[in-house]
Amino acid sequence: MRVAIIGTGYVGLTTGVCLAFIGHSVTCLDTDESKIRALREGHIPIYEPYLEEVLEEARPNLSFTSSYAEAIPDADVVFIAVGTPPTPSGAPNLEYLSQAARSIGQNGNGNFTVVVNKSTVPIGSGNWVGSLLRDAVEQSSNGHKTDFAVASNPEFLREGTALHDSLYPDRIVIGADEPRALETLYTLYRPILDQTFPAPVFLPRPDNFAAVPLVSTDLASAELIKYAANAFLALKISFINEIGLVAERVGANITEVARGIGLDSRIGSRFLSAGLGWGGSCFGKDTAALIATAGEYGLHMPIVEAARTVNSRQRDRVVEKLLQELKILKGRTIGLLGLAFKPNTDDLREAPAIEIAQKLIDRGVRVKAHDPIASERFQREHGKMGVCLCPTAEEVADGCDALVLVTEWSDYRELEWEQLAKRMRNPFILDGRHALDGDKLVRSGLRYVTIS
Ligand code: UGA
């Protein structure tokens, strides 16, 4: 099938590359011409494991453009995967979405086209995009009265494992009020639903991975599924962090508590890692948007609100722990290991490291930091904060009064901790992710403390 993808961020680019990989002819469009130039030359603007490799294999089926007139007319399916950044009220900014819908409507060639909301958009956006398309078709000067149907196909990929999650998803959700939209998307996704595509050698199909469940539903339900899924994952993390607080007071081990409850198949063991809490562009934005949508109907969401409160409290607990250890923070040097909001990405949106660094700087601390991938982006986007970026974790440790493990990059597990301890003024480490081997660190001469 012929596919156009509007937006080349994490979601758009991964979706485009995967659909091209399974054999569709895909045009990725971005209004940022410099991004398109870079992609044509083979430069990928984001760090995402295996994206480059899959893109190379899919290249014969892929093209890049900034022109709607080039991407839209021949497309059977158009995905809208533009940014929907949060506004101060919590509701997402839908400016890019509306621009995309209008431009699609103006550039149809008269054939039936399915327009799919892939961005996380407020409930009701499917209807709204439909009305924007109809208006644009009415006003279009090319004389074509394209027949559009709108669908919602929420994205569940995680940054850092985006390619794996797209090729081997837990489920595919398609919301459409018109059966022909559903049929088109069913055909599009069939190789993934039936797992008939040859798996890339570097991303083998997981053992015993068979057909992928399809959830076909109406537009509003698909839109709500996305918000409910992210809200549930967010509150699972906040739940374990709240239990972590009690665990700390009663002398229990939160990692063992999480394992003990997670083995109950009704609960499940994933997303029960206690620590600094969630970051990233999704959980904060989507929980705020869900609360805002409910508010429009006069509804409160106390559970989702509490999840947000607990999450922000986890960042304060870092400062509390450092105060307990060092008593005075002013004039201290503290090193952060990891800046990205999670390992295997260079994404810094809502990264706990930024909030923690700012809290420490406000208290007169000199902050040093290292990240294996995200330092360059940090310098570009947050250079003004005054964090001293170091090329290695060892250099971060030099003269530090404390280290905080913020992002659990696997490299940090392998550090020569004995050497690091010797380089510190005060060999103390706060493991914000329960990621390190505490006994080993203690044997290496560090005082080892966790959050919870
Ligand atoms: C999240 C969802 O997991 C995806 O399903 C969804 O598609 C995506 O949002 C989205 O809406 O676009 P993502 O934000 O990329 O994906 O990353 P996650 O792996 O979910 O991690 C989010 C944050 O939670 C990270 O800061 C991570 O460190 C933290 N986390 C995760 C914990 O603190 N504890 C855990 O047990 C798991």
Side-chain angles (χ1 to χ4, degrees):
M1 295 178 92
R2 287 156 306 182
V3 181
I5 314 262
I6 317 299
T8 58
Y10 288 92
V11 170
L13 198 52
T14 306
T15 305
V17 164
C18 287
L19 290 174
F21 179 78
I22 62 169
H24 299 297
S25 165
V26 178
T27 304
C28 293
L29 180 148
D30 204 297
T31 48
D32 181 341
E33 289 179 14
S34 63
K35 249 181 166 182
I36 292 300
R37 255 196 317 277
L39 281 163
R40 279 187 185 142
E41 288 163 12
H43 305 300
I44 298 181
I46 50 176
Y47 175 80
E48 179 61 46
Y50 303 118
L51 184 55
E52 198 174 339
E53 289 88 337
V54 182
L55 190 147
E56 270 323 305
E57 293 208 6
R59 198 170 273 285
N61 292 339
L62 264 175
S63 59
F64 299 98
T65 183
S66 285
S67 156
Y68 277 89
E70 216 174 282
I72 303 302
D74 293 330
D76 304 303
V77 181
V78 182
F79 282 92
I80 305 181
V82 295
T84 51
T87 62
S89 74
N93 174 352
L94 301 179
E95 202 188 312
Y96 304 118
L97 179 72
S98 93
Q99 275 167 12
R102 281 182 233 278
S103 306
I104 296 164
Q106 283 158 4
N107 285 281
N109 69 353
N111 292 335
F112 174 61
T113 308
V114 181
V115 176
V116 188
N117 270 338
K118 192 82 178 159
S119 308
T120 304
V121 291
I123 297 151
S125 296
N127 283 349
W128 181 62
V129 164
S131 75
L132 292 174
L133 287 167
R134 282 192 297 277
D135 290 351
V137 170
E138 286 306 316
Q139 290 153 16
S140 126
S141 51
N142 70 6
H144 297 305
K145 296 282 174 242
T146 296
D147 184 12
F148 289 107
V150 178
S152 163
N153 171 220
E155 185 49 69
F156 302 106
L157 63 81
R158 294 159 298 169
E159 287 177 27
T161 49
L163 278 297
H164 178 277
D165 293 351
S166 301
L167 293 172
Y168 312 117
D170 288 343
R171 78 298 206 186
I172 289 179
V173 174
I174 298 175
D177 293 340
E178 288 191 49
R180 55 191 184 147
L182 178 62
E183 279 156 27
T184 304
L185 291 182
Y186 178 72
T187 309
L188 182 84
Y189 278 122
R190 193 121 192 227
I192 293 181
L193 289 166
D194 297 346
Q195 288 291 302
T196 48
F197 64 89
V201 276
F202 40 85
L203 265 176
R205 184 168 283 116
D207 289 343
N208 305 321
F209 190 84
V212 173
L214 170 70
V215 179
S216 63
T217 181
D218 57 277
L219 269 175
S221 302
E223 289 167 347
L224 184 54
I225 285 170
K226 170 68 193 198
Y227 283 107
N230 270 2
F232 189 80
L233 292 170
L235 66 92
K236 216 173 161 190
I237 299 169
S238 284
F239 175 80
I240 201 64
N241 282 332
E242 189 164 280
I243 297 291
L245 200 56
V246 182
E248 193 172 284
R249 297 293 158 89
V250 303
N253 178 324
I254 190 59
T255 309
E256 283 165 25
V257 173
R259 182 170 142 74
I261 62 174
L263 284 169
D264 183 328
S265 59
R266 293 168 302 172
I267 296 174
S269 57
R270 294 165 76 189
F271 278 72
L272 284 180
S273 299
L276 296 173
W278 78 72
S281 66
C282 304
F283 290 168
K285 178 173 72 110
D286 292 353
T287 49
L290 185 56
I291 291 168
T293 301
E296 288 169 19
Y297 293 84
L299 299 171
H300 294 294
M301 303 207 74
I303 296 179
V304 183
E305 279 166 14
R308 290 171 59 81
T309 308
V310 169
N311 198 56
S312 102
R313 190 173 67 189
Q314 292 308 99
R315 321 289 209 246
D316 293 328
R317 294 186 63 208
V318 175
V319 179
E320 284 162 22
K321 294 261 172 180
L322 291 168
L323 273 171
Q324 263 169 28
E325 167 70 18
L326 302 172
K327 312 297 179 210
I328 289 172
L329 289 183
K330 213 179 276 304
R332 302 284 193 184
T333 301
I334 294 178
L336 306 183
L337 295 179
L339 291 165
F341 84 95
K342 62 185 262 188
N344 300 319
T345 179
D346 63 346
D347 196 340
L348 291 161
R349 286 175 291 175
E350 309 281 321
I354 297 166
E355 213 179 315
I356 292 165
Q358 195 57 57
K359 282 181 196 289
L360 295 176
I361 290 168
D362 292 347
R363 285 173 175 263
V365 172
R366 177 168 176 257
V367 178
K368 298 168 83 178
H370 167 264
D371 189 285
I373 296 290
S375 290
E376 208 177 295
R377 185 181 282 271
F378 187 89
Q379 186 54 37
R380 235 180 11 252
E381 295 176 0
H382 303 279
K384 287 199 184 115
M385 282 179 72
V387 172
C388 168
L389 295 173
C390 302
T392 64
E394 287 76 10
E395 282 163 81
V396 172
D398 274 337
C400 265
D401 295 293
L403 283 174
V404 184
L405 181 98
V406 182
T407 317
E408 66 277 33
W409 286 97
S410 58
D411 306 12
Y412 294 146
R413 295 196 179 93
E414 312 307 324
L415 288 170
E416 293 290 335
W417 288 104
E418 216 163 297
Q419 297 304 318
L420 248 80
K422 287 187 187 136
R423 296 171 87 138
M424 296 177 73
R425 186 156 41 212
N426 174 44
F428 170 80
I429 180 153
L430 177 56
D431 180 353
R433 297 290 182 186
H434 291 269
L436 303 171
D437 178 345
D439 293 340
K440 182 173 155 198
L441 267 67
V442 170
R443 284 197 303 277
S444 306
L446 282 132
R447 233 175 77 65
Y448 176 80
V449 169
T450 56
I451 297 274
S452 75

